[in-house]
Amino acid sequence: MFSKRFAIIALAATLSAGPVVSTAETDYNKVGQVVSTMLRNLHFSKQPWDTTLSNRVLDEYLNALDFQKLYFSQPEIDAITRKYGETLFLDLSNGECMTPAKEIFDLYLQKVAARHQWMEKFLKEQKMTFDSSRMVEISREKAKWPKDAAEADQLWALRLEENLLRERMRADEAVAKAKEKSTEAKPVTAKPETESPEQKILKRYKRVLENVRETNTEEICDFMLSALTAPL
């Protein structure tokens, strides 16, 4: 399926780009239209081209963006589904798929940026003692979307607590290893940390935000076309 999927996308991009092979001039709405037409005409799937498939493509697109289900909440997913769930297949057919694709992606970017600001405040204000028996769900690919903003905050609080504990344990382990290698003749000490565990965590999530901000139109289109071919 992988090779077939991207062979279709590559062919569609070639057909839609015309004689000019410039990424900046590629009409990605046309690419989506060509791919959707090819999928229907070549019968890669026996599924009808209808609202059921449309909703499935939208689900795949949302899951591709927020695959850990940490940024969007269920009410936001419901609102996006109401707006595009039953019309996305028409947007693809009519060469207008980049409108919903970009609108949803822009919302995702806003959520990632807002969450990073929330993290900065949380890590500055919260003092964690690591003395509870709370469990953290590391992989949330098969989890449900947070039911509301409060539940999303709780999920992130647990995740950051786990991240912070992991960083502190890593620092303690480095000190312990340095002590094991030490000798009286040539003592070895662990290199002093230049960043706090909180700073390391924020830097890590800032890279996530920067990667999302740097996502271009071609990559957004690729997310959408991958979502289109995933249910087939």
Side-chain angles (χ1 to χ4, degrees):
M1 175 62 74
F2 181 89
S3 59
K4 177 173 66 179
R5 175 185 304 173
F6 287 94
I8 295 170
I9 294 173
L11 177 58
T14 302
L15 291 173
S16 63
V20 181
V21 190
S22 171
T23 302
E25 297 181 15
T26 299
D27 184 347
Y28 292 104
N29 279 311
K30 183 64 175 179
V31 173
Q33 185 180 40
V34 172
V35 169
S36 63
T37 301
M38 292 174 66
L39 289 173
R40 295 198 307 277
N41 293 345
L42 297 178
H43 304 293
F44 281 145
S45 172
K46 296 182 179 179
Q47 299 180 56
W49 190 259
D50 58 10
T51 57
T52 299
L53 180 64
S54 183
N55 275 287
R56 291 179 63 184
V57 171
L58 180 59
D59 286 343
E60 291 288 346
Y61 183 65
L62 290 167
N63 286 323
L65 296 180
D66 188 4
F67 62 93
Q68 289 280 20
K69 296 182 174 66
L70 286 168
Y71 293 100
F72 287 123
S73 65
Q74 187 62 59
E76 291 165 333
I77 294 296
D78 292 341
I80 293 171
T81 301
R82 284 193 298 271
K83 186 170 184 179
Y84 289 117
E86 297 193 354
T87 59
L88 187 55
F89 77 114
L90 294 175
D91 293 326
L92 284 157
S93 298
N94 296 333
E96 300 172 348
C97 68
M98 293 307 295
T99 297
K102 286 183 176 180
E103 182 175 316
I104 295 169
F105 186 87
D106 287 346
L107 178 58
Y108 173 61
L109 172 56
Q110 292 172 26
K111 298 294 295 182
V112 176
R115 182 55 66 184
H116 192 267
Q117 290 183 335
W118 180 93
M119 288 182 207
E120 291 178 324
K121 182 179 179 181
F122 179 85
L123 289 173
K124 181 178 180 181
E125 297 178 353
Q126 296 296 319
K127 304 300 179 184
M128 303 180 198
T129 57
F130 310 108
D131 57 359
S132 74
S133 58
R134 293 190 294 273
M135 303 292 291
V136 182
E137 191 175 16
I138 302 298
S139 177
R140 287 183 42 80
E141 292 183 32
K142 296 183 180 180
K144 294 181 179 180
W145 300 99
K147 66 180 181 181
D148 51 30
E151 185 172 284
D153 287 349
Q154 184 179 25
L155 288 171
W156 273 105
L158 288 172
R159 181 164 290 255
L160 291 179
E161 185 175 10
E162 186 275 337
N163 290 170
L164 186 57
L165 178 59
R166 189 186 296 271
E167 285 296 335
R168 291 187 177 180
M169 290 175 64
R170 186 179 291 115
D172 290 344
E173 183 179 358
V175 172
K177 286 183 177 180
K179 288 181 178 179
E180 289 178 3
K181 294 179 180 179
S182 295
T183 64
E184 292 184 2
K186 189 177 181 180
V188 178
T189 57
K191 292 182 179 180
E193 293 286 342
T194 58
E195 295 177 314
S196 68
E198 289 83 356
Q199 289 173 323
K200 289 182 179 181
I201 292 169
L202 283 174
K203 181 180 287 186
R204 187 182 309 149
Y205 284 109
K206 187 176 182 179
R207 284 197 295 268
V208 173
L209 174 57
E210 289 171 349
N211 288 338
V212 176
R213 280 177 172 161
E214 292 170 1
T215 303
N216 58 36
T217 304
E218 180 180 2
E219 291 167 322
I220 295 173
C221 181
D222 185 58
F223 278 128
M224 177 58 71
L225 296 183
S226 295
L228 170 62
T229 57
L232 303 179

